[in-house]
Amino acid sequence: TVKQAETFAAIRAEYDIERDDNLALRDYPTLEHVIGFVHERRPDLTTKGPGAAPTEATSPEPQAAAAAVVGDDAAAAEVPRRIPTPVLRPELDRCSPTGVELDANTRVVVMLDQGGVGKALVKRLEAESVSVLAIGDAPDAPQLQSRLDEFGAAGPITGVYWLAALDMEPGLAELDLAGWREHLRKRVKLLYETMRHLYDNVGERGTFLVAATRLGGLHGYGPDGATAPMGGSVTGFTKAFKREKPLALVKAVDLAPSRKTAAIADILVSETLLDPGVVEVGYSKGHRWTISLEEADLPDESAGIKLDGDSVIVVTGAAGSIVAAITADLARASGGTFHLLDLIPEPDRSDPDLAAFATDRDGLKRAIFDRLKESTERATPAMVERELATIERSHSALSAIAAVEAAGGTAHYHSLNLLDGTAVAAAMHSVRETSGKVDVLLHAGGLEISRHLQDKERSEFDLVFDVKADGWFNLLAGLGDTPVLSSVVFSSVAGRFGNDGQTDYSAANDLLCKLTANQRSAGNGTLGVAIDWTAWGDIGMATRGSIPTVMAAAGIDMLPAAAGIPIVRREITGRSSGGEVVIGLRLGLLLDEFDATGGMNTADAGMVERTERSVMTGHVERFGLYDGLVVTTRLDPAEQPFLFDHRIDGTPVLPGVMGLEAFAAAAALPYPGLRVAAIENVDFLAPFKFYRDEPRDLRIAVQYVADGDDVIGHCRLIGERNLAGQAEPKRTVHFRGAVRLSREAADLPSEQPPERGESAVMAESIYQIYFHGPAYQVTEMAWSQDGAAAASLAAALPPNSSPPTARLATAPRLAELAFQAAGVLEIGTTGVMALPAHIDRVEYRPDAQEPGAVAVVRKAGDGFDVLVVDAEGAGLVQMIGYDTVAMPVPIDDTILAPLRAAMSDGD
């Protein structure tokens, strides 16, 4: 754990033990093991050890002056930007049980809201013979603990419903600091008291914490932002509590503002009993949601605010090494006016310790040690490091000031405590007086103390939480109606995902994220950005001790400082709308699922039946948070005609139309009441090949969103290969697209094919060029007339798949006819053979039959539009915006001639 790593770092410092990068913390599970480690590794105490002068081995790796580390925009552009995004969850009746039971053996605490949901919930629980302790006021901590103890004396407490955040809250402008703190005390401080007091009760399977919020139903990630943002503190706490108690059911259920009570009570009960795969769940516009991640590049490097010499930038936590480096980057980009806020006093430029820190750190350590020896009986390396850390912060602050001045800007330093509303108000008054505006308000101040909830004292929780939360309130209150063009709050992956031992830090960070989301509905014109940072490398506290080793073991990459420094500037200048963004490379265990099947009942009889009837849906693995529905199918070229008869250079290749079939069949599995209306925005990225004719697994991952009454399944067709010399399989996304599911089928147009010209080209000539075998020689003949080309479907085709009766969600060989018709037109007019690259949209008639079909194709820009019709001209398949990519293979003129002749009538 992080705490174990911190302990080892302290022990190494105390006993002057050199760092060992190969150390495995799991080899030291008890205090006895740790004592043995010290006896084995410590130097000779006659010359070293506690009380001896510190040596180079006791110090962390040297770090460059923070502000001197220069950002690299190219490196920053390579760091994935992950945007928290609402996605659909399966309906509860398709989810597996959580293991919680609500019956006469269950004892539950309910923190009531003021709107009646809690009362309705208590009534619902008591109808199931559940024993309930309802708390309707906001007691102080001793009173709350007394009530919990009295209730718990009659039997173990099984779970907690926390409904305090269902109450709407006043806007920030309507609150003073005391009111702000009281609202947060009711919502999250009492939640801390409750769950710490019940820490030993709630943790095993069958126990639970279910919290409810009014963020809008999408946890603040919808277009309207967060409606009651203080609920973010409850959500952040809840996510971190789940990390500490992974066996318990822990959920944050978000709801839209509503007067309904009984219906919400029913939702809370149902969420308690079903779906163990999700922590964040929401209800909006008739759908059930959770929050996933979507990678997205910056929209436009010039889309956001402009930084120049007139820019006014306010920065909290300015003496932190990371913040100082970011401040220097903003200074170099703007040369503007900076107001730098931090707890430490303004650095004295003539202080010799600051100069020594930059030029002779080892000499400074010796000097500190000598000073400590004169003032205390026992000076230790740990004491030296603490003193050095204070000097380092002063040096970082001075570096930030110097960077601003070097860029031609002006730096104003404000030494203050962010918890002191009066002091912050005075500093913001200075900002208003000197500048009259704020272009960037950067709230980076904060601290983190990792400790499990049972060990986290109230004073510690308050300190970690309040610096971020009260600090932000005091800044905004102090600025009043001063225009703020852009605000940036420093959150953390702990705020987005929760983290073990960081309930306070996660609660504060998620609160800042939701307050930022609330700015979208506030209409104040502020571009609000919340950045969920991963741990930084090169500079910052996370680079020290054993933390990097712990992070590596968790599969989490440290963020290189050069890549991280430009992120703030890029986010505020490169986007025109605000929001939250996760910044990090590999996120490792943070993306692990909470349940093996993602909470979905993969043994659902109806789904299993639909899977067994489809050739392209083999096995439903899970419904994951970050990859959605995952279906794995094994395909064998020796069994499937659509593979055996679809080869390029002798290697079976999955036809693009069967990729579309896989998308449609998989996406429809959780929604049997909806039809496949269309498949949209399809990209054929890489061929899916069956090397050496061997069977291979393909995986379809579908993430769902809603579009009005329709459900959109965003699909990826993924393959993995084990390559020689590589420890991990190579993972490739071959196709991607979106399946539109609707209650009504698409209404396709009708059209009569053009008259057959005299120069029609027959299948014999076409398949001298095309590589298809009998099952995919779908074109009987092709011709052109009056600006259009056409191709007729071959009769008596062999089966497409095995078994021939396998269920199809689309009409793959009619879509293949469309591909080939467009291809013949392209070959005949350009002399170039091409493969499918993209489709804007393809629609199918549900009862489409193959006999007598004709594809009508026309050029449309750089691509093609194709309509496949039956013998009466009624539409069967419509393909819009079909684009291709040329194959670098010349075609013999003799073979090409019949196609040129046939397509010349369509010019």
Side-chain angles (χ1 to χ4, degrees):
T1 67
V2 170
K3 180 53 60 183
Q4 191 179 9
E6 291 175 347
T7 301
F8 262 76
I11 289 170
R12 287 194 299 102
E14 181 74 15
Y15 290 97
D16 196 12
I17 298 173
E18 293 191 21
R19 176 175 174 173
D20 180 358
D21 289 332
N22 296 317
L23 183 73
L25 296 182
R26 63 177 177 272
D27 293 338
Y28 301 91
T30 70
L31 184 59
E32 183 177 0
H33 288 87
V34 177
I35 293 170
F37 166 82
V38 173
H39 281 283
E40 292 171 2
R41 303 290 187 101
R42 67 181 179 181
D44 182 0
L45 292 185
T46 60
T47 57
K48 295 183 180 180
T55 66
E56 183 177 355
T58 69
S59 65
E61 291 75 5
Q63 296 183 350
V69 181
V70 179
D72 182 341
D73 279 70
E78 294 298 315
V79 177
R81 295 178 70 254
R82 298 176 175 94
I83 308 299
T85 304
V87 295
L88 293 180
R89 284 293 291 168
E91 296 303 317
L92 278 171
D93 60 3
R94 303 194 183 284
C95 295
S96 53
T98 62
V100 174
E101 296 182 0
L102 297 175
D103 55 26
N105 296 317
T106 310
R107 301 179 61 77
V108 171
V109 175
V110 179
M111 174 59 78
L112 301 177
D113 63 317
Q114 302 303 309
V117 173
K119 292 180 179 179
L121 176 61
V122 170
K123 185 176 180 180
R124 175 84 160 75
L125 293 171
E126 289 178 341
E128 301 295 331
S129 301
V130 175
S131 297
V132 179
L133 169 62
I135 303 173
D137 55 352
D140 60 24
Q143 290 174 332
L144 176 61
Q145 293 172 9
S146 176
R147 295 186 200 178
L148 294 173
D149 287 340
E150 183 178 351
F151 183 63
I157 297 173
T158 310
V160 174
Y161 286 102
W162 196 262
L163 311 184
L166 284 177
D167 295 327
M168 297 298 290
E169 65 223 28
L172 296 189
E174 303 172 52
L175 292 169
D176 58 12
L177 181 57
W180 160 263
R181 287 174 171 167
E182 178 61 15
H183 277 284
L184 287 173
R185 186 187 75 87
K186 292 177 180 178
R187 285 162 175 78
V188 72
K189 298 294 184 71
L190 290 181
L191 176 58
Y192 152 79
E193 299 285 357
T194 300
M195 300 317 297
R196 184 175 184 230
H197 203 67
L198 299 179
Y199 197 80
D200 292 335
N201 292 73
V202 180
E204 298 303 316
R205 180 173 169 82
T207 62
F208 67 91
L209 165 63
V210 175
T213 58
R214 293 277 193 188
L215 296 166
L218 298 174
H219 286 274
Y221 296 107
D224 299 328
T227 53
M230 288 189 191
S233 63
V234 173
T235 304
F237 180 99
T238 304
K239 289 185 289 189
F241 188 79
K242 175 63 175 180
R243 297 288 179 179
E244 290 194 25
K245 300 286 192 174
L247 297 180
L249 174 76
V250 181
K251 284 187 180 180
V253 183
D254 189 42
L255 301 155
S258 168
R259 295 183 179 180
K260 297 177 180 178
T261 56
I264 295 176
D266 288 342
I267 286 173
L268 295 175
V269 168
S270 297
E271 289 290 346
T272 307
L273 299 175
L274 295 166
D275 192 359
V278 64
V279 173
E280 294 169 289
V281 64
Y283 285 78
S284 176
K285 298 181 179 179
H287 293 287
R288 187 169 176 265
W289 301 82
T290 192
I291 306 304
S292 187
L293 297 175
E294 178 181 352
E295 288 196 20
D297 295 331
L298 274 172
D300 183 350
E301 292 185 4
S302 61
I305 69 169
K306 310 300 179 186
L307 294 176
D308 55 29
D310 292 329
S311 297
V312 178
I313 300 173
V314 177
V315 181
T316 71
S321 56
I322 291 171
V323 184
I326 291 171
T327 299
D329 180 77
L330 292 172
R332 286 189 286 267
S334 67
T337 299
F338 284 75
H339 293 267
L340 307 177
L341 283 62
D342 202 279
L343 183 63
I344 67 167
E346 182 171 357
D348 180 359
R349 299 177 189 235
S350 64
D351 186 346
D353 283 351
L354 298 184
F357 182 86
T359 60
D360 185 12
R361 202 169 305 191
D362 291 337
L364 175 61
K365 287 183 180 182
R366 289 190 291 270
I368 294 171
F369 182 79
D370 290 340
R371 291 201 297 260
L372 287 172
K373 281 201 302 184
E374 294 175 0
S375 61
T376 184
E377 293 182 359
R378 181 172 178 269
T380 68
M383 296 169 65
V384 173
E385 293 297 341
R386 283 194 293 271
E387 183 75 16
L388 192 68
T390 300
I391 297 172
E392 181 178 7
R393 287 192 66 84
S394 293
H395 182 265
S396 293
L398 184 58
S399 297
I401 294 170
V404 171
E405 294 173 347
T410 302
H412 303 277
Y413 191 87
H414 307 266
S415 175
L416 53 81
N417 187 337
L418 287 173
L419 301 178
D420 185 341
T422 302
V424 176
M428 294 305 97
H429 176 76
S430 175
V431 172
R432 295 198 309 270
E433 288 293 305
T434 58
S435 303
K437 65 167 186 172
V438 174
D439 291 285
V440 181
L441 177 59
L442 174 57
H443 183 34
L447 71 157
E448 180 274 316
I449 307 171
S450 290
R451 206 186 312 276
H452 280 152
L453 185 59
Q454 63 180 345
D455 302 320
K456 190 174 286 292
E457 298 292 340
R458 183 182 306 131
S459 58
E460 181 178 291
F461 186 98
D462 288 347
L463 177 62
V464 172
F465 182 86
D466 292 349
V467 168
K468 282 183 169 285
D470 291 0
W472 184 238
F473 177 85
N474 288 333
L475 287 169
L476 296 181
L479 287 171
D481 58 2
T482 303
V484 177
L485 197 58
S486 175
S487 69
V488 181
V489 297
F490 274 21
S491 178
S492 160
V493 290
R496 170 83 298 274
F497 304 103
N499 199 21
D500 192 3
Q502 295 184 337
T503 49
D504 42 12
Y505 194 61
S506 180
N509 280 316
D510 210 17
L511 171 64
L512 293 181
C513 290
K514 300 310 187 281
L515 288 167
T516 300
N518 180 251
Q519 291 177 333
R520 292 204 292 277
S521 59
N524 57 13
T526 301
L527 175 71
V529 176
I531 301 178
D532 299 326
W533 296 105
T534 189
W536 282 52
D538 309 320
I539 58 177
M541 294 302 294
T543 62
R544 299 171 179 174
S546 300
I547 302 295
T549 303
V550 174
M551 299 288 284
I556 301 173
D557 292 328
M558 308 284 279
L559 179 67
I565 288 168
I567 293 294
V568 170
R569 169 174 49 81
R570 288 168 56 84
E571 288 295 325
I572 61 178
T573 62
R575 58 196 293 179
S576 58
S577 59
E580 184 177 343
V581 58
V582 180
I583 297 296
L585 300 171
R586 291 186 310 150
L587 297 178
L589 58 75
L590 294 175
L591 300 183
D592 285 354
E593 297 292 337
F594 295 110
D595 180 78
T597 67
M600 188 179 197
N601 180 11
T602 57
D604 174 81
M607 180 175 292
V608 170
E609 179 186 4
R610 292 191 298 278
T611 301
E612 291 174 346
R613 290 168 52 200
S614 172
V615 71
M616 296 302 292
T617 54
H619 169 64
V620 177
E621 291 186 14
R622 63 183 180 275
F623 202 119
L625 294 174
Y626 302 108
D627 49 12
L629 178 71
V630 178
V631 182
T632 299
T633 304
R634 168 148 290 212
L635 296 175
D636 187 346
E639 295 179 357
Q640 295 299 343
F642 63 80
L643 296 177
F644 187 84
D645 286 345
H646 192 267
R647 296 172 180 266
I648 298 178
D649 295 331
T651 299
V653 178
L654 182 73
V657 295
M658 291 307 291
L660 298 179
E661 168 66 23
F663 282 172
L669 284 174
Y671 296 96
L674 300 180
R675 299 171 178 266
V676 176
I679 307 178
E680 302 167 341
N681 299 316
V682 180
D683 290 314
F684 300 99
L685 303 173
F688 190 97
K689 299 180 179 181
F690 291 78
Y691 300 93
R692 298 177 297 279
D693 275 44
E694 294 176 351
R696 191 176 176 193
D697 290 338
L698 67 81
R699 180 172 288 113
I700 303 295
V702 192
Q703 196 66 278
Y704 297 90
V705 298
D707 183 15
D709 293 333
D710 292 350
V711 172
I712 310 296
H714 291 281
C715 304
R716 292 172 299 147
L717 190 152
I718 303 164
E720 291 186 354
R721 293 182 62 206
N722 294 310
L723 301 180
Q726 295 188 11
E728 298 293 328
K730 180 183 179 181
R731 189 173 186 268
T732 303
V733 177
H734 293 268
F735 305 163
R736 65 185 175 208
V739 177
R740 179 174 293 273
L741 302 171
S742 299
R743 299 203 177 277
E744 302 296 331
D747 186 15
L748 272 58
S750 297
E751 181 176 354
Q752 289 297 326
E755 293 291 332
R756 229 173 259 178
E758 296 181 359
S759 302
V761 60
M762 306 305 292
E764 181 181 357
S765 298
I766 293 171
Y767 293 106
Q768 288 189 57
I769 297 175
Y770 278 149
F771 47 77
H772 306 78
Y776 268 65
Q777 293 181 359
V778 298
T779 304
E780 180 185 39
M781 67 177 70
W783 66 95
S784 63
Q785 188 74 36
D786 299 329
S792 60
L793 185 71
L797 286 169
N800 174 70
S801 57
S802 177
T805 56
R807 172 183 173 271
L808 293 174
T810 65
R813 288 201 292 200
L814 294 182
E816 180 67 23
L817 179 65
F819 280 1
Q820 293 188 18
V824 169
L825 176 59
E826 188 167 23
I827 294 169
T829 54
T830 67
V832 174
M833 181 179 173
L835 295 176
H838 175 82
I839 307 171
D840 286 344
R841 182 180 177 94
V842 57
E843 302 169 319
Y844 304 89
R845 196 170 83 188
D847 59 348
Q849 301 294 319
E850 293 183 353
V854 176
V856 182
V857 56
R858 288 182 172 83
K859 284 287 293 180
D862 293 332
F864 305 90
D865 290 342
V866 189
L867 179 65
V868 181
V869 299
D870 62 16
E872 283 73 41
L876 300 174
V877 175
Q878 180 171 233
M879 196 173 289
I880 300 170
Y882 170 56
D883 292 329
T884 60
V885 58
M887 294 181 68
V889 179
I891 302 175
D892 184 88
D893 286 341
T894 303
I895 297 175
L896 187 59
L899 279 75
R900 287 195 183 278
M903 295 298 107
S904 62
D905 291 341
D907 290 344

